[in-house]
């Protein structure tokens, strides 16, 4: 009888072992907000993404209550995205398109509240008629369920989730950044300085400002890439960092900041009810 | 029917032409002075008449019997004391007298109870339509006259309508009349029920001015008593106490009098007011932006009935950057106002990974504790910060949090499971995809997905642990504090279910139920006695955290009691089906919980008015020469009168009523006999012609001789 019990215990242990433990990097991503990037296969680009997200994580930790862990590189073909919230995807020409299964997972990720930031990193040359990242972007993003996009309007909640922003610079600036288009007929509510758009978060954002390169810091905490020249350069880097902070806040809190304008009205109503009672 | 008929041998114009020709010939003869002109003319007309083929037709008549409709009102109001006996006696007597009349048939029509009351008019109309108009000799209705379909009472009938009214002259009744009652009401906001007490019939003088002593109860709990004189309208304020059905029962005892009132069934009413929550106000405090925060927002914002005030700490006080304030979008929260002055206005406060940071003052937490004890609701979704020195447990609010952290955090995947209590508790019972007992905790997708982190806690012994996580440590703990409720989720990773990690789980449903349980939604009460009413059938469900549920005692409107045994239908659910014998207010009780259900109208329409009245049928009786007689004044005799004569009167032996025999008959055949046979016509024509000829000829001879 004893050996039978032993055998049963062995089988039980084997059954327990069979349950796959989730990837520890991703477990950590679920525990703390962790910024993730797509591994493109281009070593320079991947290193820049990693350094960029690390730099942004440092900025967040220094200035806000969000304290992300070290960034995580994601291979869309093999990694489960459901533990992630934010994915940075630099677009390169050489990058092979992920498998159809990976696109199924990514579409689920977008539907369930995740966000992908596509960065074509061509803000310096885009729109001049030469070869830019748009062909590669189309190749990579076509299988995704992406809603209609529009350049981010000036009253988008992203412009005020933490800092007040007018532009979304990275290493380059002045290029439009695209997000989910506001639904037709969204009008400014009375007494509200902006429209109440997209109750939720745009599943994708697309731009070409090479943000990771603006955020990137080396081991010593110094910027890895030069931006422009002179005093304006450091200002632009600061603005890029502010955009990064706003973006992460937007991903995490949605339209929280849009709602805040209603709070005085709600409180007013509470007071009014007290008067009438 | 009988009479002449024609069967012309030639078309009518030819016959007519022949007759005209004969007349012309006669006139011409007259002008010529022929003496036989008349005979000649007659002969010609006789030819025309013969061609027209005159005949005699006669029908075969059968005498038909007269029909008397005997209307027998057996509605519930006819069951009042004495009326049934009166009705039986009148029907027997009328039947006997009608049977004595020759050629008279009785059509008996019985009117029963209808959901809309007594459909006397409809029954009468239908009975009249079913009989040939020419044979109906009379209608005799034995009823209390309480028809609820006056519009259906016909305006006229082919024969006298005689109404024999049941009831006594001294009948009287006092009733409760609900003039206006709302179907919905906001919880804790008064609604107004307008009612009045009304006296009918020959009210004894000692009762007439005495007020009725009204008893008002809400869900079976006595609310207040008050005196209301008859005829005075009262606006009664009632405050719905909870969501769902609030049953207000109002009633008074039958007044004391020498002659008791007809019935006490119309002395009570039950009004069902659906309690509706005003907009829910939820205060959500997020300690830091994190991946699960939007889960809370989506849950609360998807409900249009929730006013959400959300409060996220984006920057702690100990962090600073050199950015000028006007380039930042951070605003200070009106914490003093929210947590001190307005806290009572919130239905629910959710702490989502909140930690004590020095933003909320200790007295705020103290105030939250008081808010819960006075009936508020708090939900804590705790991350690892719960196990740190910034734990909410270490604030003055810690006293009401239903578990104490040990400081240990399990950083490993685990499968949330329902405990024994959890399978019974309405917050977690029946959540789809729950892992069955003993299922391996892998991500196979056949059940919920795993979560990845939780804090170890020691639950309050009074609290209920309904879900467990890693190492069967408590994951979801529910507790009551004072009049309020607190729920604690020891993990912040419920959002993984929403994300579909390893298949996910019913995250929205679980959070919704926790929130509504905290707000004391009656649908999620652990100990509940539910009654699902359909018509007179009741499905009684007892939900309990105990292993057994005793029988439910049902108290009938008349005070009779009956025990209903419940059978187990699932974990913590015991049900039974029961059908009430009649409408009214029934009280269900199992010793701890009681509940009042109103089945059908408390005072059915039949008992709204009970004093017999001729008002409804009198116009019809008058229009048809009939009358309304009270049976209490004696049984009338029955006579036959001719149509159009008064069909009622006062005889030596007492009043009489009459029917009008119609002398109806049917024709079952027709005989057709020619007026004269053909040879007779021939002889007639020949004789006339010959006579004319002779007259003229002989006349000439006579004339020549003379």
């Amino acid at each position: 009888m004893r050996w039978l019990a032993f055998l049963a215990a062995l089988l039980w242990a084997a059954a327990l072992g069979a349950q796959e433990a989730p990837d520890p990097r991703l477990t950590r991503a679920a525990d703390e907000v962790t910024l993730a990037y797509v591994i493109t296969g281009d070593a320079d680009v991947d290193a820049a993404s990693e350094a960029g997200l690390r730099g942004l994580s440092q900025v967040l930790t220094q200035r806000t209550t969000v304290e992300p862990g070290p960034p995580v590189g994601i291979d869309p073909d093999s990694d489960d995205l459901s533990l992630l919230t934010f994915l940075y995807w630099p677009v390169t020409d050489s990058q092979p398109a992920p498998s159809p299964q990976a696109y199924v997972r990514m579409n689920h990720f977008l539907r369930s509240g995740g966000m992908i930031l596509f960065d074509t990193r061509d803000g310096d040359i885009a729109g001049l008629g030469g070869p830019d990242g748009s062909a590669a972007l189309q190749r990579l993003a076509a299988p995704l369920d992406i809603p209609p996009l529009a350049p981010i309007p000036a009253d988008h909640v992203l412009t005020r989730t933490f800092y007040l922003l007018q532009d979304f610079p990275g290493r380059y600036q002045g290029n439009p950044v695209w997000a989910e288009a506001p639904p037709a007929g969204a009008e400014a509510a009375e007494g509200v300085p902006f429209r109440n758009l997209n109750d939720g978060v745009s599943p994708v954002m697309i731009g070409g400002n090479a943000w990771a390169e603006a955020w990137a810091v080396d081991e010593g905490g110094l910027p890895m890439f030069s931006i422009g020249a002179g005093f304006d350069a450091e200002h632009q880097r600061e603005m890029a960092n502010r955009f990064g902070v706003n973006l992460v806040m937007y991903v995490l809190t949605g339209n929280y900041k849009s709602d805040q304008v209603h709070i005085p009205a709600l409180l007013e109503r509470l007071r009014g009810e007290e008067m009438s009672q | 029917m009988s009479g002449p008929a024609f069967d012309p041998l030639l078309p009518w114009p030819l016959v007519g032409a022949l007759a005209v020709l004969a007349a012309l010939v006669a006139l011409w003869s007259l002008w010529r002075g022929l003496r036989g002109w008349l005979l000649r003319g007659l002969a010609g007309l006789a030819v025309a008449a013969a061609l027209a083929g005159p005949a005699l037709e006669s029908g075969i008549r059968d005498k038909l019997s007269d029909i008397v409709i005997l209307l027998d009102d057996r509605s519930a109001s006819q069951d009042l004391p004495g009326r049934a006996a009166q009705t039986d006696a009148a029907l027997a007597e009328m039947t006997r007298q009608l049977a004595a009349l020759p050629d008279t048939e009785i059509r008996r029509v019985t009117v029963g109870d209808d959901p809309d009351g007594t459909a006397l008019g409809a029954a009468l109309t239908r009975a009249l339509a079913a009989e040939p108009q020419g044979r109906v000799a009379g209608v005799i209705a034995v009823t209390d006259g309480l028809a609820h379909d006056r519009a259906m009472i016909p305006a006229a009938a082919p024969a006298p309508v005689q109404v024999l009214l049941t009831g006594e002259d001294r009948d009287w009744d006092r009733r409760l009349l609900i003039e206006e009652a709302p179907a919905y009401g906001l919880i804790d906001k008064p609604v107004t029920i307008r009612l009045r007490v009304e006296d009918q019939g020959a009210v004894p003088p000692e009762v007439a001015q005495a007020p009725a002593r009204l008893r008002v109860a809400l869900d079976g709990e006595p609310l207040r008593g008050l005196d209301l004189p008859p005829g005075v309208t009262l606006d009664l304020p009632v405050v719905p106490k909870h969501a769902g059905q609030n049953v207000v029962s109002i009633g008074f005892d039958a007044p004391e009098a020498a002659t008791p009132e007809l019935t006490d069934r119309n002395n009570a009413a039950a009004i069902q007011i659906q309690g509706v929550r005003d907009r829910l106000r939820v205060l959500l405090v997020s300690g830091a932006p994190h991946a699960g925060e939007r889960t809370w927002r989506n849950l609360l914002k998807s409900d249009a009935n929730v006013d959400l005030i959300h409060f996220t700490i984006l920057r702690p006080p100990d962090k600073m950057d050199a950015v000028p304030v006007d380039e930042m979008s951070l605003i200070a929260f009106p914490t003093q106002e929210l947590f001190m002055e307005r806290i009572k206005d919130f239905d629910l406060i959710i702490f989502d990974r909140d930690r004590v940071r020095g933003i909320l003052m200790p007295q705020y937490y103290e105030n939250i504790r008081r808010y819960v004890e006075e009936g508020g609701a708090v939900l804590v979704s705790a991350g690892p910060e719960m196990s740190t020195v910034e734990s909410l447990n270490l604030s003055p609010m810690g006293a009401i949090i239903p578990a104490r952290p040990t400081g240990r955090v399990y950083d490993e995947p685990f499968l949330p499971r329902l405990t024994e209590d959890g399978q019974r508790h309405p917050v977690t019972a029946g959540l789809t995809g729950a892992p069955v007992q003993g299922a391996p905790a892998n991500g196979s997708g056949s059940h919920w997905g795993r979560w990845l982190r939780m804090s170890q806690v020691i639950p309050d012994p009074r609290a209920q642990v309904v879900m467990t996580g890693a190492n069967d440590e408590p994951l979801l703990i529910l507790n009551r504090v004072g009049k309020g409720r607190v729920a604690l989720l020891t993990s912040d990773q419920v959002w993984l279910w929403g994300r579909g990690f390893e298949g996910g789980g019913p995250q929205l449903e679980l959070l919704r139920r926790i929130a509504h349980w905290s707000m004391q939604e009656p649908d999620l009460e652990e100990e509940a006695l539910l009654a699902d009413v359909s018509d007179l059938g009741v499905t009684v469900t007892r939900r309990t955290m105990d292993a057994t549920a005793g029988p439910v005692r049902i108290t009938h409107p008349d005070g009779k009691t009956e025990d209903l045994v419940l059978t187990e239908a699932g974990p913590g659910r015991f049900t039974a089906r029961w059908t009430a014998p009649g409408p009214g207010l029934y009280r269900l009780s199992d010793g701890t919980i009681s509940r009042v259900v109103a089945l059908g109208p408390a005072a059915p329409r039949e008992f709204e008015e009970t004093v017999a009245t001729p008002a409804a049928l009198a116009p019809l009786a008058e229009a048809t020469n009939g009358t309304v007689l009270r049976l209490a004044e004696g049984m009338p005799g029955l006579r036959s009168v001719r149509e159009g004569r008064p069909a009622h009167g006062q005889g030596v032996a007492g009043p009489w009523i009459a029917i009008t025999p119609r002398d109806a008959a049917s024709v079952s055949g027709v005989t057709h006999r020619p007026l004269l046979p053909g040879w007779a016509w021939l002889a007639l024509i020949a004789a006339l012609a010959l006579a004319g000829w002779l007259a003229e000829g002989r006349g000439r001879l006579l004339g020549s001789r003379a």
Side-chain angles (χ1 to χ4, degrees):
Chain A
M1 275 323 272
R2 185 177 285 179
W3 64 269
L4 205 65
F6 179 67
L7 198 65
L10 263 185
L11 280 174
W12 175 240
L16 277 183
Q19 69 172 80
E20 46 185 305
D23 189 330
R25 295 175 308 141
L26 298 177
T27 307
R28 193 167 48 70
D31 286 350
E32 297 306 332
V33 177
T34 297
L35 308 179
Y37 60 93
V38 173
I39 296 171
T40 59
D42 181 325
D44 288 345
V45 172
D46 293 345
S49 300
E50 204 273 338
L53 294 184
R54 194 174 60 230
L56 179 58
S57 298
Q58 282 175 14
V59 170
L60 284 165
T61 307
Q62 280 161 16
R63 303 183 181 185
T64 75
T65 40
V66 181
E67 299 178 359
V72 179
I74 292 294
D75 177 1
D77 281 331
S78 57
D79 289 327
D80 183 0
L81 300 176
S82 58
L83 296 173
L84 299 172
T85 310
F86 173 74
L87 193 57
Y88 176 72
W89 192 336
V91 176
T92 62
D93 288 333
S94 58
Q95 183 176 8
S99 66
Q101 286 83 0
Y103 277 112
V104 169
R105 280 200 299 272
M106 275 191 276
N107 279 330
H108 184 262
F109 171 69
L110 295 180
R111 267 199 305 277
S112 63
M115 184 216 257
I116 299 177
L117 172 65
F118 285 100
D119 190 348
T120 53
R121 303 175 303 110
D122 57 358
D124 49 345
I125 53 168
L128 300 179
D132 58 16
S134 57
L137 174 68
Q138 278 172 15
R139 181 173 58 86
L140 291 174
L144 291 173
D145 294 336
I146 295 178
L149 298 179
I152 295 179
D155 56 1
H156 195 275
V157 68
L158 184 60
T159 60
R160 56 174 186 283
T161 49
F162 196 91
Y163 294 107
L164 294 171
L165 295 179
Q166 279 89 47
D167 191 18
F168 313 108
R171 198 175 178 192
Y172 314 115
Q173 62 180 352
N175 300 302
V177 179
W178 296 68
E180 182 173 356
E187 292 296 327
E190 202 174 327
V192 179
F194 46 82
R195 291 173 291 168
N196 190 8
L197 301 177
N198 303 350
D199 193 348
V201 172
S202 173
V204 296
M205 302 197 85
I206 298 175
N209 285 344
W211 288 288
E213 292 170 21
W215 298 329
V217 292
D218 62 15
E219 301 295 326
L222 293 171
M224 282 170 65
F225 296 88
S226 66
I227 293 181
F231 179 76
D232 282 348
E234 283 316 301
H235 184 253
Q236 186 177 339
R237 194 186 305 279
E238 167 64 19
M239 283 314 193
N241 282 338
R242 290 187 193 177
F243 166 69
V245 170
N246 268 25
L247 184 67
V248 171
M249 289 295 175
Y250 171 57
V251 171
L252 294 177
T253 64
N255 50 11
Y256 164 63
K257 277 290 173 185
S258 299
D259 283 1
Q260 276 196 322
V261 297
H262 300 300
I263 285 172
L266 282 174
L267 286 172
E268 196 55 46
R269 208 156 77 205
L270 295 184
R271 287 184 207 116
E273 277 177 19
E274 187 156 287
M275 296 286 281
S276 63
Q277 268 174 10
Chain B
M1 53 172 282
S2 55
F6 292 91
D7 193 8
L9 294 172
L10 288 174
W12 278 113
L14 285 181
V15 177
L18 207 58
V20 170
L21 196 64
L24 287 176
V25 168
L27 286 175
W28 183 73
S29 307
L30 181 63
W31 179 61
R32 289 293 307 268
L34 294 180
R35 268 174 297 170
W37 67 271
L38 185 66
L39 292 167
R40 281 173 194 271
L42 282 176
L45 286 174
V47 171
L51 286 174
L56 262 185
E57 254 181 7
S58 59
I60 302 165
R61 284 169 50 94
D62 290 332
K63 173 88 173 85
L64 288 178
S65 59
D66 291 316
I67 293 172
V68 174
I69 297 171
L70 197 53
L71 195 76
D72 174 14
D73 181 359
R74 293 290 173 181
S75 59
S77 60
Q78 280 277 80
D79 286 341
L80 290 170
R83 290 191 187 171
Q86 274 181 319
T87 311
D88 288 342
L91 284 172
E93 176 63 18
M94 287 301 128
T95 311
R96 191 185 63 73
Q97 295 198 32
L98 284 170
L101 293 176
D103 285 336
T104 304
E105 281 179 59
I106 301 173
R107 293 278 190 279
R108 192 152 165 167
V109 179
T110 305
V111 183
D113 272 335
D114 190 87
D116 291 332
T118 308
L120 210 57
L124 200 55
T125 307
R126 217 167 19 237
L128 284 172
E131 305 300 340
Q133 294 287 299
R135 292 178 63 192
V136 176
V139 177
I140 300 174
V142 183
T143 173
D144 54 13
L146 298 174
H148 296 107
D149 58 345
R150 283 189 179 206
M152 287 295 287
I153 294 177
V161 176
Q162 314 284 5
V163 180
L164 304 182
L165 213 56
T166 59
E168 304 285 338
D169 287 339
R170 57 176 198 281
D171 282 349
W172 68 279
D173 190 43
R174 172 168 281 187
R175 65 167 176 152
L176 179 68
L177 199 68
I178 303 295
E179 293 182 340
E180 201 178 293
Y184 291 88
L186 288 179
I187 295 168
D188 291 334
K189 296 274 159 63
V191 295
T192 305
I193 298 171
R194 181 168 296 166
L195 54 90
R196 132 173 93 90
V197 172
E198 193 180 86
D199 283 341
Q200 287 180 321
V203 184
E206 70 264 31
V207 173
Q209 288 313 313
R213 176 127 201 99
L214 284 183
R215 281 172 283 104
V216 183
L218 179 62
D219 287 330
E221 299 298 318
L223 215 60
R224 57 192 290 199
L226 54 102
D227 287 339
L228 184 65
V232 177
T233 300
L234 170 75
D235 284 339
L236 178 71
V238 173
V239 183
K241 282 289 170 211
H242 56 80
Q245 206 190 68
N246 292 263
V247 179
V248 182
S249 46
I250 305 169
F252 58 87
D253 290 328
E256 298 283 334
T259 314
E261 68 169 332
L262 275 175
T263 179
D264 58 5
R265 290 199 63 173
N266 54 14
N267 292 6
I271 299 152
Q272 304 184 21
I273 300 174
Q274 202 75 21
V276 183
R277 271 187 194 282
D278 199 356
R279 290 179 70 81
L280 296 175
R281 299 201 181 87
V282 178
L283 179 59
L284 172 60
V285 182
S286 297
H290 70 108
E293 181 170 329
R294 271 165 58 203
T295 300
W296 287 108
R297 291 182 57 79
N298 286 341
L299 168 74
L300 296 164
K301 296 201 61 135
S302 63
D303 187 345
N305 205 26
V306 168
D307 277 342
L308 173 67
I309 292 191
H310 187 182
F311 176 21
T312 301
I313 298 162
L314 296 180
R315 187 174 70 170
D318 55 338
K319 292 184 184 178
M320 271 296 163
D321 57 22
V323 177
V325 173
D326 61 356
E327 289 176 27
M328 310 205 40
S329 168
L330 302 182
I331 54 168
F333 235 76
T335 46
Q336 167 79 16
E337 177 162 20
L338 287 176
F339 289 97
M340 295 301 286
E341 295 158 23
R342 305 274 150 223
I343 192 162
K344 284 204 173 5
D345 293 326
F346 290 101
D347 297 288
L348 174 65
I349 302 178
I350 301 173
F351 290 96
D352 166 36
R353 288 192 63 168
D354 191 32
R355 56 176 76 198
V356 179
R357 278 190 198 270
I359 291 179
L360 299 188
M361 318 261 256
Q363 61 262 39
Y364 296 174
Y365 289 109
E366 179 67 32
N367 204 31
I368 292 166
R369 185 182 61 75
R370 209 158 38 232
Y371 155 80
V372 171
E373 283 167 354
E374 288 168 8
V378 161
L379 200 168
V380 180
S381 166
E385 81 286 339
M386 189 192 191
S387 302
T388 67
V389 292
E390 291 178 324
S391 167
L392 287 181
N393 281 76
L394 301 176
S395 75
M397 208 181 107
I400 57 165
I401 295 180
R404 206 152 40 79
T406 61
R408 179 171 176 193
V409 175
Y410 290 106
D411 237 333
E412 61 190 49
F414 64 86
L415 179 64
R417 291 174 190 274
L418 299 184
T419 61
E420 192 96 339
D421 277 353
Q423 290 175 5
R424 299 177 167 278
H425 202 288
V427 166
T428 43
L431 281 179
T432 49
V436 289
Q437 217 64 37
N442 59 10
S444 63
S446 63
H447 50 70
W448 297 339
R450 288 178 295 176
W451 299 0
L452 302 174
R453 180 175 63 187
M454 67 177 280
S455 305
Q456 189 189 37
V457 295
I458 301 169
D460 188 314
R462 288 162 301 178
Q464 278 168 329
V465 177
V466 294
M467 284 173 83
T468 55
N471 294 335
D472 289 333
E473 296 281 356
L475 179 63
L476 175 59
I477 306 158
L478 307 172
N479 197 16
R480 289 172 153 78
V481 179
K483 291 187 202 153
R485 299 183 183 186
V486 181
L488 171 67
L489 203 52
T490 62
S491 171
D492 59 338
Q493 293 200 324
V494 65
W495 62 275
L496 288 179
W497 275 2
R499 278 294 174 76
F501 173 62
E502 295 183 344
Q507 158 247 346
L508 275 179
E509 176 67 10
L510 176 65
L511 295 182
R512 193 192 65 78
R513 287 204 212 169
I514 298 172
H516 282 90
W517 173 84
S518 311
M519 292 186 284
Q520 320 203 356
E521 176 82 32
D523 283 352
L524 292 170
E525 218 52 35
E526 299 96 311
E527 302 292 326
L529 186 61
L530 310 171
D532 191 10
V533 176
S534 64
D535 218 7
L536 286 182
V538 186
T539 306
V540 180
T541 305
R542 174 77 166 92
R543 200 166 53 210
T544 178
M545 300 298 287
D546 295 334
T548 58
V552 171
R553 169 152 298 185
I554 301 171
T555 311
H556 291 233
D558 55 6
K560 212 168 61 186
T561 60
E562 145 178 19
D563 281 351
L564 184 66
V565 177
L566 303 178
T567 51
E568 184 159 9
R573 284 175 68 83
F574 299 85
T575 65
R577 228 190 121 58
W578 180 71
T579 305
L585 270 189
Y586 291 81
R587 192 186 175 88
L588 313 177
S589 168
D590 76 335
T592 46
I593 309 181
S594 65
R595 200 190 149 87
V596 175
V597 287
L599 300 182
R605 209 158 169 202
E606 279 296 322
F607 294 104
E608 278 178 8
E609 290 188 46
T610 49
V611 177
T613 166
L617 290 168
L620 175 61
E622 243 164 66
T624 55
N625 286 338
T627 187
V628 180
L629 284 181
R630 285 188 176 274
L631 284 169
E633 291 163 7
M635 193 69 69
L638 189 67
R639 301 183 180 181
S640 296
V641 298
R642 268 191 320 204
E643 275 180 66
R645 306 280 301 172
H648 63 95
Q650 192 68 33
V652 181
W656 55 269
I657 56 173
I659 60 168
T660 54
R662 300 298 295 275
D663 193 25
S666 71
V667 175
S668 58
V670 174
T671 55
H672 186 90
R673 272 199 320 273
L675 209 57
L676 288 173
W679 55 265
W681 283 113
L682 191 61
L684 180 66
I685 296 163
L688 286 171
L690 191 64
W693 180 68
L694 283 176
E696 284 167 18
R698 192 171 303 159
R700 205 165 50 223
L701 288 177
L702 292 177
S704 66
R705 276 183 197 163

